[in-house]
Amino acid sequence: MSSKAPRCGLTFSRMKTVRVAVVGAGVIGFSTAVRIAEALPICSVTLLAEKFSPDTTSDVAAGIVLAQEFPDIPLERQRRWFKDGFDHFFAIAHSEDAPEAGIMMCSGCQIFREAPANMKPYWSDIVIGYRPMTDRELKRFPNHKFGQAFTTLKCECSSYLPWLEKRFRKAGGRVEQRRVNSLQELSNDFDIIVNCTGLGSKTLVGDDQVQPIRGQVLKMDAPWLKHFIRDVDGMTYIYPGIHSVTIGGTRQVEDMRLHVDEGDSRSILERCSRLEPSLRKAKVLYQSVGLRPGRRSPRVERELVQMGGRQVPVVHNYGHGGWGVSFSWGTSMDALELVRQCLQEIPLQAKL
Ligand SMILES: Cc1cc2nc3c(=O)[nH]c(=O)nc-3n(C[C@H](O)[C@H](O)[C@H](O)COP(=O)(O)OP(=O)(O)OC[C@H]3O[C@@H](n4cnc5c(N)ncnc54)[C@H](O)[C@@H]3O)c2cc1C
Ligand SMILES: O=C([O-])CC(=O)C(=O)O
């Protein structure tokens, strides 16, 4: 009897040791790590990353929940990703966690210099109250011919990432600060590797499709502004947030400069003040720069990689470009499903 009890205990604790490494501590890494740790108690999940909040690209994001079409992903899948994220952020915005997680509703408009061919994008029935702007509303923007008015959400990653980390630790997750130079380094200590390294995937997995797209934003003290305005070209936007108004932006491909460019600051202020003249009177609180993990479409798939005599399952979730916050919860659901598939294929002895 006494010899059997410890064996049962041992089997149980060993059953919990499918060791999963999630690499990356941006919004994609933490969302994915939370999903896995909460849904798969058989896994022990360790999140490893070189940089954590407040030093990730995700911390720089304006955090508007909005979408563009990715050319290589079926529209239905993109729709599911976007809806999953929208519903998730909506639920937090209406919970007592809203201020700690940094999530709020926000209403405003996206304006177009020329009317688009598709007046009803796939996300139009997911956001709230989508409608074309009236001529009266558009009078304010004499250089624009068309506009979409709607209510969406805004997620401020400088609050959301610490909130996700807390949730991850509560689910039993571990966190380690470390640069990973090659996935091979992890193959002895982990059974499954989940790659959420954003721009880092260019070198870590040699993906030449990934390219930096530099973005600069200014945080303004302008509490009287309550509605967002986005020019659909993505170069000019004003997003009121919880503590400040984010204005932007720039989209400089293959530009790796992480310092603030004063020329960009002047240009952003000028462009945004044309849309919202009171910004000329507002104080700049601070400025930041981030490198978007540009890619034609995000890579959310799994593969088996030969590492030192065995095939290690690797799940990828990176390359979200300018829309990583919006799609973080949705693509991490797919990453979770891919990890689940890996679990079914891992030889039994790895699980025991
Ligand atoms: C100015 C600007 C405004 C934006 N506004 C919005 C917006 O309004 N809405 C929206 O949806 N998106 C927005 N984005 C896009 C969004 O910020 C990105 O898509 C998102 O942050 C990508 O998240 P990520 O987790 O993949 O990358 P990151 O946040 O860059 O995280 C990558 C992580 O991987 C780690 N890492 C990389 N390589 C290694 C390695 N070799 N070893 C260990 N760790 C490694 C890093 O240290 C980091 O922890 C904006 C981006 C910018 C720059
Ligand atoms: O384009 C926007 O409105 C904000 C954003 O996602 C970015 O700058 O990448």
Side-chain angles (χ1 to χ4, degrees):
M1 196 53 198
S2 59
S3 67
K4 269 187 186 164
R7 274 184 59 206
C8 281
L10 190 64
T11 308
F12 177 72
S13 69
R14 287 168 101 193
M15 285 281 288
K16 280 184 73 80
T17 57
V18 175
R19 300 158 304 170
V20 178
V22 176
V23 191
V27 69
I28 304 301
F30 264 117
S31 306
T32 307
V34 164
R35 291 273 210 182
I36 299 169
E38 290 183 351
L40 301 175
I42 195 176
C43 296
S44 76
V45 187
T46 305
L47 182 143
L48 309 127
E50 184 179 13
K51 290 189 179 159
F52 284 80
S53 182
D55 299 320
T56 70
T57 304
S58 302
D59 288 281
V60 179
I64 193 79
V65 175
L66 195 51
Q68 67 166 54
E69 275 184 34
F70 299 118
D72 308 320
I73 311 277
L75 220 50
E76 236 352 271
R77 191 178 187 201
Q78 301 186 46
R79 215 186 118 74
R80 182 166 48 74
W81 286 348
F82 186 76
K83 183 168 185 323
D84 208 17
F86 191 92
D87 292 348
H88 163 76
F89 291 124
F90 185 89
I92 300 172
H94 298 290
S95 76
E96 60 186 41
D97 278 3
E100 192 189 336
I103 295 169
M104 58 181 265
M105 300 293 290
C106 65
S107 300
C109 61
Q110 173 156 254
I111 51 179
F112 297 68
R113 280 169 197 271
E114 294 300 330
N118 178 7
M119 300 233 184
K120 264 191 133 256
Y122 75 84
W123 47 265
S124 60
D125 62 349
I126 299 172
V127 299
I128 293 167
Y130 176 96
R131 62 173 175 79
M133 286 166 76
T134 62
D135 289 345
R136 194 164 144 239
E137 287 169 311
L138 277 167
K139 257 198 188 134
R140 227 187 109 191
F141 307 111
N143 296 322
H144 294 79
K145 294 195 177 121
F146 179 77
Q148 304 159 329
F150 53 93
T151 298
T152 183
L153 292 131
K154 187 170 182 293
C155 165
E156 306 197 339
C157 281
S158 52
S159 301
Y160 184 57
L161 290 177
W163 182 84
L164 279 179
E165 178 168 349
K166 205 161 123 186
R167 188 165 156 178
F168 175 58
R169 287 182 188 271
K170 198 170 161 204
R174 281 191 298 259
V175 169
E176 194 181 319
Q177 202 245 319
R178 150 179 180 191
R179 179 177 168 81
V180 178
N181 292 306
S182 127
L183 293 184
Q184 186 102 28
E185 278 174 23
L186 305 176
S187 64
N188 283 336
D189 296 328
F190 296 98
D191 304 302
I192 300 172
I193 300 170
V194 186
N195 169 29
C196 305
T197 54
L199 187 58
S201 291
K202 191 175 177 65
T203 44
L204 190 61
V205 298
D207 185 339
D208 289 336
Q209 274 198 53
V210 179
Q211 55 175 8
I213 305 176
R214 181 179 177 278
Q216 181 171 322
V217 288
L218 284 73
K219 301 285 177 177
M220 309 296 292
D221 186 16
W224 58 88
L225 294 180
K226 300 292 183 202
H227 281 80
F228 76 81
I229 305 172
R230 176 178 203 263
D231 189 311
V232 73
D233 68 7
M235 297 298 289
T236 307
Y237 49 73
I238 300 166
Y239 294 125
I242 297 174
H243 303 294
S244 63
V245 177
T246 304
I247 67 168
T250 66
R251 299 186 115 83
Q252 294 137 322
V253 178
E254 292 292 355
D255 186 340
M256 301 281 285
R257 290 173 306 139
L258 275 170
H259 62 267
V260 169
D261 179 313
E262 290 305 328
D264 286 341
S265 310
R266 279 192 297 276
S267 160
I268 291 168
L269 255 172
E270 178 51 35
R271 279 180 275 125
C272 291
S273 301
R274 266 183 241 142
L275 296 179
E276 203 64 90
S278 65
L279 281 168
R280 293 190 208 279
K281 303 269 184 199
K283 189 171 143 212
V284 179
L285 297 173
Y286 60 94
Q287 308 187 49
S288 22
V289 174
L291 305 180
R292 301 176 185 89
R295 201 172 186 274
R296 255 174 74 84
S297 302
R299 183 177 182 203
V300 188
E301 61 185 30
R302 74 189 173 114
E303 63 174 345
L304 284 172
V305 182
Q306 189 70 30
M307 294 184 204
R310 76 181 181 102
Q311 296 216 301
V312 179
V314 177
V315 171
H316 298 284
N317 185 9
Y318 67 83
H320 298 67
W323 299 113
V325 179
S326 310
F327 287 98
S328 55
W329 201 247
T331 59
S332 65
M333 182 65 197
D334 279 13
L336 165 65
E337 286 316 310
L338 295 169
V339 169
R340 230 191 270 276
Q341 287 171 23
C342 296
L343 283 178
Q344 278 156 16
E345 286 166 18
I346 284 182
L348 196 59
Q349 65 269 26
K351 287 188 211 163
L352 294 173

